[in-house]
Amino acid sequence: MNIDLTDTTSSQINSALVQARRATGTPAVGMVLTLVIVTDEGNHYDALKAASEASKEHPSRILVVIKRPGRSPRDRRTARLDAEVRVGGESGSGETVLLRLHGELAGHAHAVVLPLLLPDAPVVVWWPEEAPEHPSRDLLGRLAARRITDAQATEDPVATLELRARTYTPGDTDLAWTRITPWRSVLAAALDQKHSAITAAIVEGEAYNPSSELLALWLAERLRVPVRREVTDGPGLTAVRLETADGQICLDRADGALAELAIPGQPDRHVALHRREMAELIAEELRRLDPDDIYASTVRFGATGDGRGLIGSGARESQAAQAEAAGQAPPEPDAPGSGAPGPESAGPADAASSAGPAGSAGSGKAGS
């Protein structure tokens, strides 16, 4: 059931939600959280489609905040709220409310959203494209237990990842991290099978790919060994190679769907490692609403002296290759070194302890 409301208020929207539930024969509220999506007119369809798919696993009240401040001075001085209430149908057991905030009201989205939150239920805010510099200080972000951003959807993913490292607050997460959950799970399982000290690691993937950067940081922080980023044509992450005294452990995915895992002394095997759709990523993030400590330690490591050289190393390597091809001098590196060597190498337990769905191989656009 769809109800269109023009020049409305939050109170009238709540009344329309009750009316729609009664009309569809579901007066009880069986939703477990409120998901607030902050986007624009051009991108709201894809974000809402992904959230609706995820709500089949996590029944939610989805509030889509579309800001339309206007271009002319006259439009910017207006203040109008239009809404579309959807219950049943594609919304499944949840509810969807599209909120279009016109003029000055676009700067006060939190005041519109607050009365529409489910009582006594957690709140998650998701920015599918550009997010605030400091999500936890944003007025909408302050309402949430979890704040989801996506560095990959920004104009400069590497710079965005550095910003996330500097402004991290418990409850923050990024879909660039969610995309590498399967990679970290497979690598941790491989290290459980091969008890040999790791001496170095190589992460291969596209330049400016934030998931590749985060995976390199995770390996460097957990294993305390030098990690090198190598640029490939993709798609996304393509391979991880771990050097051991017995040989190389290699997880290679050249086609974006099926990977090959090679462990010294064992037969090679194939692993399903497809690039996941956005709905799968959001559903994974909604499974846990507590702070992700492993993401926190990884992204903070990227902001320290040991890990700072890793962020953007793939982009710098790509720039150097382009400069060499053009016959120019390569750009100066931002920080010395490309790895994060530690005082001693670490064994498989260090990585395995931080990979696994619960603690986590991750909390992992469509996949890496």
Side-chain angles (χ1 to χ4, degrees):
M1 179 177 182
N2 289 12
I3 300 176
D4 290 324
L5 301 171
T6 303
D7 197 6
T8 186
T9 65
S10 297
S11 177
Q12 291 173 342
I13 295 172
N14 269 319
S15 298
L17 285 168
V18 174
Q19 175 188 341
R21 284 201 301 269
R22 289 174 176 169
T24 56
T26 55
V29 178
M31 292 159 288
V32 297
L33 59 88
T34 303
L35 175 61
V36 181
I37 306 174
V38 186
T39 183
D40 55 31
E41 198 70 62
N43 294 289
H44 84 274
Y45 175 81
D46 291 336
L48 179 56
K49 181 179 179 181
S52 297
E53 286 293 318
S55 71
K56 295 177 181 177
E57 181 178 338
H58 311 278
S60 313
R61 173 175 289 180
I62 302 172
L63 305 178
V64 184
V65 177
I66 303 171
K67 298 181 180 181
R68 305 183 66 174
R71 296 182 180 179
S72 68
R74 180 179 180 180
D75 289 341
R76 290 193 291 269
R77 286 195 299 268
T78 63
R80 191 179 85 245
L81 171 63
D82 297 336
E84 183 180 345
V85 176
R86 302 176 184 176
V87 177
E90 294 183 357
S91 300
S93 58
E95 300 170 342
T96 300
V97 182
L98 275 69
L99 303 167
R100 290 181 170 86
L101 284 63
H102 299 266
E104 291 183 346
L105 194 61
H108 303 277
H110 64 288
V112 176
V113 167
L114 186 59
L116 300 176
L117 301 178
L118 290 171
D120 302 321
V123 178
V124 178
V125 177
W126 172 30
W127 292 271
E129 296 87 29
E130 295 291 337
E133 288 190 2
H134 205 312
S136 65
R137 294 181 183 175
D138 180 80
L139 292 176
L140 279 172
R142 291 179 181 178
L143 302 175
R146 292 279 279 178
R147 295 166 293 275
I148 304 173
T149 57
D150 191 357
Q152 186 167 305
T154 62
E155 185 175 346
D156 190 340
V158 173
T160 301
L161 191 60
E162 293 175 328
L163 177 64
R164 296 289 164 255
R166 294 196 304 270
T167 63
Y168 175 81
T169 302
D172 291 353
T173 192
D174 196 280
L175 293 181
W177 174 255
T178 318
R179 291 184 182 96
I180 62 174
T181 298
W183 285 83
R184 296 190 301 120
S185 297
V186 174
L187 289 171
L191 292 178
D192 277 340
Q193 300 172 46
K194 188 65 179 177
H195 297 281
S196 182
I198 310 299
T199 58
I202 301 172
V203 176
E204 300 178 9
E206 291 176 303
Y208 302 99
N209 183 280
S211 295
S212 300
E213 309 283 349
L214 282 173
L215 185 57
L217 284 171
W218 175 70
L219 289 169
E221 194 267 335
R222 304 307 298 182
L223 297 175
R224 297 292 171 174
V225 298
V227 178
R228 188 171 80 249
R229 275 274 286 116
E230 290 189 357
V231 176
T232 65
D233 293 332
L237 271 163
T238 54
V240 176
R241 307 179 193 277
L242 305 177
E243 302 292 344
T244 74
D246 300 326
Q248 188 181 82
I249 298 173
C250 177
L251 180 59
D252 190 345
R253 186 194 66 180
D255 61 358
L258 190 65
E260 185 175 14
L261 177 64
I263 301 176
Q266 300 183 19
D268 295 352
R269 69 201 74 174
H270 289 98
V271 180
L273 207 62
H274 68 282
R275 290 165 60 82
R276 296 184 293 168
E277 298 296 329
M278 184 64 72
E280 296 179 74
L281 303 178
I282 292 299
E284 179 182 325
E285 280 301 331
L286 296 182
R287 290 185 198 123
R288 56 173 304 163
L289 299 178
D290 58 316
D292 189 334
D293 295 333
I294 306 302
Y295 170 71
S297 61
T298 300
V299 77
R300 283 171 172 164
F301 181 76
T304 66
D306 286 340
R308 190 178 293 120
L310 272 176
I311 295 186
S313 58
R316 289 193 296 272
E317 185 176 332
S318 178
Q319 290 173 342
Q322 292 172 4
E324 183 177 350
Q328 302 172 351
E332 291 295 327
D334 295 331
S338 61
E344 55 187 78
S345 62
D350 296 292
S353 66
S354 64
S360 137
S363 310
K365 181 166 201 152
S368 286

PDB file of all heavy atoms in Angstrom, residues 217-244:
ATOM      1  N   LEU A 217      46.243  -3.474   5.227  1.00  0.00           N
ATOM      2  CA  LEU A 217      46.409  -2.968   6.596  1.00  0.00           C
ATOM      3  C   LEU A 217      46.097  -4.055   7.621  1.00  0.00           C
ATOM      4  O   LEU A 217      46.794  -4.183   8.637  1.00  0.00           O
ATOM      5  CB  LEU A 217      45.492  -1.763   6.818  1.00  0.00           C
ATOM      6  CG  LEU A 217      45.915  -0.440   6.189  1.00  0.00           C
ATOM      7  CD1 LEU A 217      44.799   0.583   6.328  1.00  0.00           C
ATOM      8  CD2 LEU A 217      47.193   0.087   6.837  1.00  0.00           C
ATOM      9  N   TRP A 218      45.042  -4.824   7.355  1.00  0.00           N
ATOM     10  CA  TRP A 218      44.667  -5.901   8.292  1.00  0.00           C
ATOM     11  C   TRP A 218      45.788  -6.919   8.427  1.00  0.00           C
ATOM     12  O   TRP A 218      46.147  -7.330   9.537  1.00  0.00           O
ATOM     13  CB  TRP A 218      43.379  -6.556   7.809  1.00  0.00           C
ATOM     14  CG  TRP A 218      42.946  -7.736   8.607  1.00  0.00           C
ATOM     15  CD1 TRP A 218      42.457  -7.733   9.889  1.00  0.00           C
ATOM     16  CD2 TRP A 218      42.954  -9.109   8.184  1.00  0.00           C
ATOM     17  NE1 TRP A 218      42.159  -9.015  10.289  1.00  0.00           N
ATOM     18  CE2 TRP A 218      42.457  -9.880   9.263  1.00  0.00           C
ATOM     19  CE3 TRP A 218      43.308  -9.746   7.009  1.00  0.00           C
ATOM     20  CZ2 TRP A 218      42.319 -11.261   9.195  1.00  0.00           C
ATOM     21  CZ3 TRP A 218      43.171 -11.122   6.923  1.00  0.00           C
ATOM     22  CH2 TRP A 218      42.688 -11.864   8.006  1.00  0.00           C
ATOM     23  N   LEU A 219      46.357  -7.330   7.293  1.00  0.00           N
ATOM     24  CA  LEU A 219      47.455  -8.295   7.329  1.00  0.00           C
ATOM     25  C   LEU A 219      48.676  -7.716   8.045  1.00  0.00           C
ATOM     26  O   LEU A 219      49.312  -8.397   8.857  1.00  0.00           O
ATOM     27  CB  LEU A 219      47.831  -8.711   5.900  1.00  0.00           C
ATOM     28  CG  LEU A 219      46.819  -9.592   5.171  1.00  0.00           C
ATOM     29  CD1 LEU A 219      47.189  -9.711   3.694  1.00  0.00           C
ATOM     30  CD2 LEU A 219      46.733 -10.974   5.815  1.00  0.00           C
ATOM     31  N   ALA A 220      48.991  -6.466   7.758  1.00  0.00           N
ATOM     32  CA  ALA A 220      50.156  -5.846   8.388  1.00  0.00           C
ATOM     33  C   ALA A 220      49.961  -5.698   9.893  1.00  0.00           C
ATOM     34  O   ALA A 220      50.884  -5.939  10.680  1.00  0.00           O
ATOM     35  CB  ALA A 220      50.421  -4.480   7.758  1.00  0.00           C
ATOM     36  N   GLU A 221      48.754  -5.323  10.293  1.00  0.00           N
ATOM     37  CA  GLU A 221      48.490  -5.089  11.725  1.00  0.00           C
ATOM     38  C   GLU A 221      48.431  -6.404  12.500  1.00  0.00           C
ATOM     39  O   GLU A 221      48.912  -6.489  13.633  1.00  0.00           O
ATOM     40  CB  GLU A 221      47.181  -4.318  11.864  1.00  0.00           C
ATOM     41  CG  GLU A 221      46.942  -3.721  13.239  1.00  0.00           C
ATOM     42  CD  GLU A 221      46.143  -4.650  14.139  1.00  0.00           C
ATOM     43  OE1 GLU A 221      45.403  -5.490  13.587  1.00  0.00           O
ATOM     44  OE2 GLU A 221      46.254  -4.518  15.373  1.00  0.00           O
ATOM     45  N   ARG A 222      47.857  -7.448  11.900  1.00  0.00           N
ATOM     46  CA  ARG A 222      47.711  -8.714  12.623  1.00  0.00           C
ATOM     47  C   ARG A 222      48.978  -9.563  12.589  1.00  0.00           C
ATOM     48  O   ARG A 222      49.326 -10.208  13.572  1.00  0.00           O
ATOM     49  CB  ARG A 222      46.547  -9.527  12.053  1.00  0.00           C
ATOM     50  CG  ARG A 222      45.202  -8.816  12.033  1.00  0.00           C
ATOM     51  CD  ARG A 222      44.798  -8.244  13.361  1.00  0.00           C
ATOM     52  NE  ARG A 222      44.628  -9.262  14.390  1.00  0.00           N
ATOM     53  CZ  ARG A 222      44.231  -9.002  15.631  1.00  0.00           C
ATOM     54  NH1 ARG A 222      43.997  -7.753  16.000  1.00  0.00           N
ATOM     55  NH2 ARG A 222      44.093  -9.972  16.501  1.00  0.00           N
ATOM     56  N   LEU A 223      49.657  -9.578  11.436  1.00  0.00           N
ATOM     57  CA  LEU A 223      50.817 -10.456  11.293  1.00  0.00           C
ATOM     58  C   LEU A 223      52.137  -9.772  11.626  1.00  0.00           C
ATOM     59  O   LEU A 223      53.141 -10.446  11.861  1.00  0.00           O
ATOM     60  CB  LEU A 223      50.885 -11.008   9.861  1.00  0.00           C
ATOM     61  CG  LEU A 223      49.709 -11.885   9.427  1.00  0.00           C
ATOM     62  CD1 LEU A 223      49.844 -12.263   7.955  1.00  0.00           C
ATOM     63  CD2 LEU A 223      49.605 -13.135  10.295  1.00  0.00           C
ATOM     64  N   ARG A 224      52.151  -8.418  11.593  1.00  0.00           N
ATOM     65  CA  ARG A 224      53.374  -7.661  11.866  1.00  0.00           C
ATOM     66  C   ARG A 224      54.507  -8.077  10.921  1.00  0.00           C
ATOM     67  O   ARG A 224      55.621  -8.379  11.347  1.00  0.00           O
ATOM     68  CB  ARG A 224      53.791  -7.838  13.331  1.00  0.00           C
ATOM     69  CG  ARG A 224      52.769  -7.297  14.322  1.00  0.00           C
ATOM     70  CD  ARG A 224      52.686  -5.793  14.238  1.00  0.00           C
ATOM     71  NE  ARG A 224      51.570  -5.271  15.020  1.00  0.00           N
ATOM     72  CZ  ARG A 224      51.338  -3.972  15.214  1.00  0.00           C
ATOM     73  NH1 ARG A 224      52.136  -3.078  14.662  1.00  0.00           N
ATOM     74  NH2 ARG A 224      50.294  -3.577  15.911  1.00  0.00           N
ATOM     75  N   VAL A 225      54.185  -8.104   9.634  1.00  0.00           N
ATOM     76  CA  VAL A 225      55.173  -8.407   8.604  1.00  0.00           C
ATOM     77  C   VAL A 225      55.058  -7.340   7.515  1.00  0.00           C
ATOM     78  O   VAL A 225      54.049  -6.634   7.428  1.00  0.00           O
ATOM     79  CB  VAL A 225      54.940  -9.810   7.994  1.00  0.00           C
ATOM     80  CG1 VAL A 225      55.078 -10.886   9.059  1.00  0.00           C
ATOM     81  CG2 VAL A 225      53.569  -9.898   7.304  1.00  0.00           C
ATOM     82  N   PRO A 226      56.100  -7.196   6.667  1.00  0.00           N
ATOM     83  CA  PRO A 226      55.991  -6.241   5.559  1.00  0.00           C
ATOM     84  C   PRO A 226      54.889  -6.670   4.582  1.00  0.00           C
ATOM     85  O   PRO A 226      54.798  -7.839   4.216  1.00  0.00           O
ATOM     86  CB  PRO A 226      57.367  -6.308   4.885  1.00  0.00           C
ATOM     87  CG  PRO A 226      58.276  -6.917   5.902  1.00  0.00           C
ATOM     88  CD  PRO A 226      57.424  -7.827   6.733  1.00  0.00           C
ATOM     89  N   VAL A 227      54.075  -5.722   4.173  1.00  0.00           N
ATOM     90  CA  VAL A 227      52.998  -5.989   3.216  1.00  0.00           C
ATOM     91  C   VAL A 227      53.167  -5.039   2.037  1.00  0.00           C
ATOM     92  O   VAL A 227      53.332  -3.833   2.233  1.00  0.00           O
ATOM     93  CB  VAL A 227      51.605  -5.806   3.857  1.00  0.00           C
ATOM     94  CG1 VAL A 227      50.511  -6.046   2.819  1.00  0.00           C
ATOM     95  CG2 VAL A 227      51.428  -6.750   5.039  1.00  0.00           C
ATOM     96  N   ARG A 228      53.123  -5.574   0.831  1.00  0.00           N
ATOM     97  CA  ARG A 228      53.278  -4.761  -0.375  1.00  0.00           C
ATOM     98  C   ARG A 228      51.993  -4.782  -1.181  1.00  0.00           C
ATOM     99  O   ARG A 228      51.339  -5.820  -1.298  1.00  0.00           O
ATOM    100  CB  ARG A 228      54.433  -5.300  -1.220  1.00  0.00           C
ATOM    101  CG  ARG A 228      54.788  -4.377  -2.403  1.00  0.00           C
ATOM    102  CD  ARG A 228      56.073  -4.794  -3.099  1.00  0.00           C
ATOM    103  NE  ARG A 228      55.871  -5.910  -4.020  1.00  0.00           N
ATOM    104  CZ  ARG A 228      56.332  -7.127  -3.831  1.00  0.00           C
ATOM    105  NH1 ARG A 228      57.030  -7.409  -2.729  1.00  0.00           N
ATOM    106  NH2 ARG A 228      56.108  -8.083  -4.715  1.00  0.00           N
ATOM    107  N   ARG A 229      51.623  -3.627  -1.719  1.00  0.00           N
ATOM    108  CA  ARG A 229      50.463  -3.516  -2.607  1.00  0.00           C
ATOM    109  C   ARG A 229      50.926  -3.533  -4.043  1.00  0.00           C
ATOM    110  O   ARG A 229      51.830  -2.800  -4.416  1.00  0.00           O
ATOM    111  CB  ARG A 229      49.703  -2.211  -2.325  1.00  0.00           C
ATOM    112  CG  ARG A 229      48.713  -2.322  -1.190  1.00  0.00           C
ATOM    113  CD  ARG A 229      47.364  -2.850  -1.633  1.00  0.00           C
ATOM    114  NE  ARG A 229      46.605  -1.834  -2.374  1.00  0.00           N
ATOM    115  CZ  ARG A 229      46.275  -1.966  -3.649  1.00  0.00           C
ATOM    116  NH1 ARG A 229      46.632  -3.015  -4.343  1.00  0.00           N
ATOM    117  NH2 ARG A 229      45.581  -1.016  -4.257  1.00  0.00           N
ATOM    118  N   GLU A 230      50.305  -4.381  -4.855  1.00  0.00           N
ATOM    119  CA  GLU A 230      50.598  -4.415  -6.286  1.00  0.00           C
ATOM    120  C   GLU A 230      49.323  -4.129  -7.054  1.00  0.00           C
ATOM    121  O   GLU A 230      48.253  -4.653  -6.719  1.00  0.00           O
ATOM    122  CB  GLU A 230      51.178  -5.768  -6.696  1.00  0.00           C
ATOM    123  CG  GLU A 230      52.585  -6.013  -6.162  1.00  0.00           C
ATOM    124  CD  GLU A 230      53.229  -7.250  -6.766  1.00  0.00           C
ATOM    125  OE1 GLU A 230      52.549  -7.945  -7.561  1.00  0.00           O
ATOM    126  OE2 GLU A 230      54.404  -7.515  -6.436  1.00  0.00           O
ATOM    127  N   VAL A 231      49.442  -3.291  -8.080  1.00  0.00           N
ATOM    128  CA  VAL A 231      48.276  -2.856  -8.850  1.00  0.00           C
ATOM    129  C   VAL A 231      48.031  -3.809 -10.012  1.00  0.00           C
ATOM    130  O   VAL A 231      48.953  -4.171 -10.744  1.00  0.00           O
ATOM    131  CB  VAL A 231      48.481  -1.425  -9.379  1.00  0.00           C
ATOM    132  CG1 VAL A 231      47.314  -1.004 -10.268  1.00  0.00           C
ATOM    133  CG2 VAL A 231      48.623  -0.453  -8.211  1.00  0.00           C
ATOM    134  N   THR A 232      46.759  -4.219 -10.159  1.00  0.00           N
ATOM    135  CA  THR A 232      46.338  -5.053 -11.284  1.00  0.00           C
ATOM    136  C   THR A 232      45.135  -4.391 -11.965  1.00  0.00           C
ATOM    137  O   THR A 232      44.648  -3.350 -11.514  1.00  0.00           O
ATOM    138  CB  THR A 232      45.945  -6.462 -10.816  1.00  0.00           C
ATOM    139  OG1 THR A 232      44.773  -6.373  -9.969  1.00  0.00           O
ATOM    140  CG2 THR A 232      47.079  -7.112 -10.023  1.00  0.00           C
ATOM    141  N   ASP A 233      44.660  -5.021 -13.017  1.00  0.00           N
ATOM    142  CA  ASP A 233      43.500  -4.481 -13.733  1.00  0.00           C
ATOM    143  C   ASP A 233      42.178  -4.857 -13.079  1.00  0.00           C
ATOM    144  O   ASP A 233      41.117  -4.454 -13.543  1.00  0.00           O
ATOM    145  CB  ASP A 233      43.504  -4.986 -15.183  1.00  0.00           C
ATOM    146  CG  ASP A 233      44.680  -4.417 -15.983  1.00  0.00           C
ATOM    147  OD1 ASP A 233      45.130  -3.314 -15.644  1.00  0.00           O
ATOM    148  OD2 ASP A 233      45.144  -5.086 -16.925  1.00  0.00           O
ATOM    149  N   GLY A 234      42.223  -5.656 -12.019  1.00  0.00           N
ATOM    150  CA  GLY A 234      41.009  -6.019 -11.322  1.00  0.00           C
ATOM    151  C   GLY A 234      40.296  -7.195 -11.967  1.00  0.00           C
ATOM    152  O   GLY A 234      40.910  -7.973 -12.685  1.00  0.00           O
ATOM    153  N   PRO A 235      39.011  -7.391 -11.708  1.00  0.00           N
ATOM    154  CA  PRO A 235      38.140  -6.483 -10.941  1.00  0.00           C
ATOM    155  C   PRO A 235      38.362  -6.568  -9.433  1.00  0.00           C
ATOM    156  O   PRO A 235      38.527  -7.659  -8.894  1.00  0.00           O
ATOM    157  CB  PRO A 235      36.736  -6.975 -11.300  1.00  0.00           C
ATOM    158  CG  PRO A 235      36.911  -8.438 -11.588  1.00  0.00           C
ATOM    159  CD  PRO A 235      38.267  -8.573 -12.220  1.00  0.00           C
ATOM    160  N   GLY A 236      38.370  -5.424  -8.781  1.00  0.00           N
ATOM    161  CA  GLY A 236      38.531  -5.364  -7.326  1.00  0.00           C
ATOM    162  C   GLY A 236      39.818  -6.008  -6.867  1.00  0.00           C
ATOM    163  O   GLY A 236      40.886  -5.851  -7.467  1.00  0.00           O
ATOM    164  N   LEU A 237      39.733  -6.742  -5.774  1.00  0.00           N
ATOM    165  CA  LEU A 237      40.840  -7.541  -5.277  1.00  0.00           C
ATOM    166  C   LEU A 237      41.065  -8.732  -6.205  1.00  0.00           C
ATOM    167  O   LEU A 237      40.104  -9.375  -6.634  1.00  0.00           O
ATOM    168  CB  LEU A 237      40.529  -8.052  -3.877  1.00  0.00           C
ATOM    169  CG  LEU A 237      40.925  -7.192  -2.690  1.00  0.00           C
ATOM    170  CD1 LEU A 237      40.187  -7.654  -1.447  1.00  0.00           C
ATOM    171  CD2 LEU A 237      42.429  -7.265  -2.460  1.00  0.00           C
ATOM    172  N   THR A 238      42.321  -9.040  -6.495  1.00  0.00           N
ATOM    173  CA  THR A 238      42.586 -10.168  -7.385  1.00  0.00           C
ATOM    174  C   THR A 238      43.412 -11.267  -6.732  1.00  0.00           C
ATOM    175  O   THR A 238      43.267 -12.435  -7.095  1.00  0.00           O
ATOM    176  CB  THR A 238      43.292  -9.700  -8.669  1.00  0.00           C
ATOM    177  OG1 THR A 238      44.467  -8.953  -8.316  1.00  0.00           O
ATOM    178  CG2 THR A 238      42.366  -8.809  -9.494  1.00  0.00           C
ATOM    179  N   ALA A 239      44.284 -10.947  -5.771  1.00  0.00           N
ATOM    180  CA  ALA A 239      45.099 -12.005  -5.174  1.00  0.00           C
ATOM    181  C   ALA A 239      45.727 -11.535  -3.872  1.00  0.00           C
ATOM    182  O   ALA A 239      45.953 -10.340  -3.672  1.00  0.00           O
ATOM    183  CB  ALA A 239      46.197 -12.466  -6.137  1.00  0.00           C
ATOM    184  N   VAL A 240      45.992 -12.506  -2.998  1.00  0.00           N
ATOM    185  CA  VAL A 240      46.781 -12.284  -1.781  1.00  0.00           C
ATOM    186  C   VAL A 240      47.822 -13.403  -1.723  1.00  0.00           C
ATOM    187  O   VAL A 240      47.489 -14.584  -1.888  1.00  0.00           O
ATOM    188  CB  VAL A 240      45.903 -12.312  -0.512  1.00  0.00           C
ATOM    189  CG1 VAL A 240      46.778 -12.187   0.734  1.00  0.00           C
ATOM    190  CG2 VAL A 240      44.883 -11.187  -0.552  1.00  0.00           C
ATOM    191  N   ARG A 241      49.075 -13.018  -1.500  1.00  0.00           N
ATOM    192  CA  ARG A 241      50.161 -13.999  -1.415  1.00  0.00           C
ATOM    193  C   ARG A 241      50.878 -13.830  -0.087  1.00  0.00           C
ATOM    194  O   ARG A 241      51.316 -12.725   0.246  1.00  0.00           O
ATOM    195  CB  ARG A 241      51.138 -13.816  -2.588  1.00  0.00           C
ATOM    196  CG  ARG A 241      50.441 -13.815  -3.943  1.00  0.00           C
ATOM    197  CD  ARG A 241      51.413 -13.604  -5.102  1.00  0.00           C
ATOM    198  NE  ARG A 241      50.676 -13.316  -6.330  1.00  0.00           N
ATOM    199  CZ  ARG A 241      50.140 -14.250  -7.114  1.00  0.00           C
ATOM    200  NH1 ARG A 241      50.282 -15.527  -6.779  1.00  0.00           N
ATOM    201  NH2 ARG A 241      49.473 -13.921  -8.206  1.00  0.00           N
ATOM    202  N   LEU A 242      50.987 -14.916   0.665  1.00  0.00           N
ATOM    203  CA  LEU A 242      51.651 -14.923   1.959  1.00  0.00           C
ATOM    204  C   LEU A 242      52.916 -15.770   1.856  1.00  0.00           C
ATOM    205  O   LEU A 242      52.855 -16.955   1.517  1.00  0.00           O
ATOM    206  CB  LEU A 242      50.725 -15.481   3.042  1.00  0.00           C
ATOM    207  CG  LEU A 242      49.365 -14.804   3.205  1.00  0.00           C
ATOM    208  CD1 LEU A 242      48.543 -15.528   4.274  1.00  0.00           C
ATOM    209  CD2 LEU A 242      49.515 -13.328   3.554  1.00  0.00           C
ATOM    210  N   GLU A 243      54.065 -15.156   2.135  1.00  0.00           N
ATOM    211  CA  GLU A 243      55.342 -15.865   2.064  1.00  0.00           C
ATOM    212  C   GLU A 243      55.609 -16.565   3.396  1.00  0.00           C
ATOM    213  O   GLU A 243      55.533 -15.937   4.461  1.00  0.00           O
ATOM    214  CB  GLU A 243      56.474 -14.889   1.757  1.00  0.00           C
ATOM    215  CG  GLU A 243      56.310 -14.108   0.458  1.00  0.00           C
ATOM    216  CD  GLU A 243      56.421 -14.989  -0.771  1.00  0.00           C
ATOM    217  OE1 GLU A 243      56.917 -16.133  -0.633  1.00  0.00           O
ATOM    218  OE2 GLU A 243      56.006 -14.544  -1.858  1.00  0.00           O
ATOM    219  N   THR A 244      55.909 -17.876   3.323  1.00  0.00           N
ATOM    220  CA  THR A 244      56.247 -18.639   4.519  1.00  0.00           C
ATOM    221  C   THR A 244      57.563 -19.378   4.280  1.00  0.00           C
ATOM    222  O   THR A 244      58.066 -19.441   3.148  1.00  0.00           O
ATOM    223  CB  THR A 244      55.142 -19.664   4.864  1.00  0.00           C
ATOM    224  OG1 THR A 244      55.217 -20.762   3.934  1.00  0.00           O
ATOM    225  CG2 THR A 244      53.757 -19.036   4.787  1.00  0.00           C
TER     226      THR A 244
END
